Amino acid sequence: MGLLMGKVMDENLKKSQDFMLATQKLQLERQLQMQNQMRERMMAMQIGRARELFYWLGSFYTLATLGMLAGFERRRSPGMLVPFVPLTFIVAYQYDMAFGTKMTRIREEADKIMSEEGALLALPHDLPTFDTIEAARLGKK
């Protein structure tokens, strides 16, 4: 009788462990999905912010360029056009970030760093452990 009871308890334990593993797997999958959706929302906000900034920079660039051209017409001084060069770079950079392929190039560079230069991503003193966290919490560093 005891052997049969032990076998039933082992089966119940195994079923319980399998259920817990499946539940943990489902919870992890949900957490990963939620984190990815939050990451996508943050990226969309960054791109939206970049586009809004581009609209403002583009308007300023247009007005400044018209002002520089008008000043050049009046004075015939090439110095009036000097700000045109850096402003062009700034607006072009922002356009590339907001509407171009800059985000794709950044992602590709990040992939390259992760696959070829992973050592750059290592945390100092590796990942924290329960023991190191507890020692810090208790002031035992």
Side-chain angles (χ1 to χ4, degrees):
M1 183 78 167
L3 185 61
L4 182 62
M5 187 68 107
K7 195 171 187 179
V8 169
M9 288 178 64
D10 286 344
E11 287 177 18
N12 286 342
L13 180 62
K14 176 73 171 135
K15 287 180 184 178
S16 178
Q17 287 174 339
D18 289 344
F19 175 75
M20 287 174 56
L21 183 62
T23 303
Q24 289 173 347
K25 183 179 176 186
L26 181 62
Q27 183 179 9
L28 179 61
E29 289 172 355
R30 286 178 176 158
Q31 286 175 347
L32 290 171
Q33 186 61 242
M34 182 185 68
Q35 287 175 348
N36 189 53
Q37 286 184 16
M38 292 304 294
R39 182 194 60 81
E40 287 176 350
R41 284 173 172 81
M42 290 173 61
M43 291 287 293
M45 287 293 291
Q46 288 177 341
I47 293 169
R49 182 178 182 271
R51 289 181 179 179
E52 180 66 19
L53 183 58
F54 172 75
Y55 297 142
W56 283 90
L57 284 176
S59 298
F60 172 76
Y61 178 77
T62 301
L63 291 173
T65 300
L66 292 174
M68 286 183 282
L69 290 174
F72 178 74
E73 274 298 311
R74 274 195 217 126
R75 298 191 180 138
R76 294 283 180 203
S77 170
M80 294 299 292
L81 298 177
V82 170
F84 182 71
V85 175
L87 283 176
T88 300
F89 277 100
I90 292 169
V91 171
Y93 177 89
Q94 193 62 36
Y95 176 83
D96 191 27
M97 178 67 90
F99 296 101
T101 59
K102 184 157 193 67
M103 293 303 281
T104 303
R105 293 191 314 269
I106 290 170
R107 190 176 316 108
E108 288 170 358
E109 187 64 26
D111 285 339
K112 179 182 167 195
I113 290 168
M114 290 180 76
S115 63
E116 298 174 13
E117 303 173 53
L120 294 175
L121 306 175
L123 292 171
H125 298 292
D126 294 323
L127 287 173
T129 64
F130 176 78
D131 293 333
T132 59
I133 293 170
E134 278 299 296
R137 184 181 71 83
L138 298 172
K140 296 178 182 176
K141 295 185 183 188

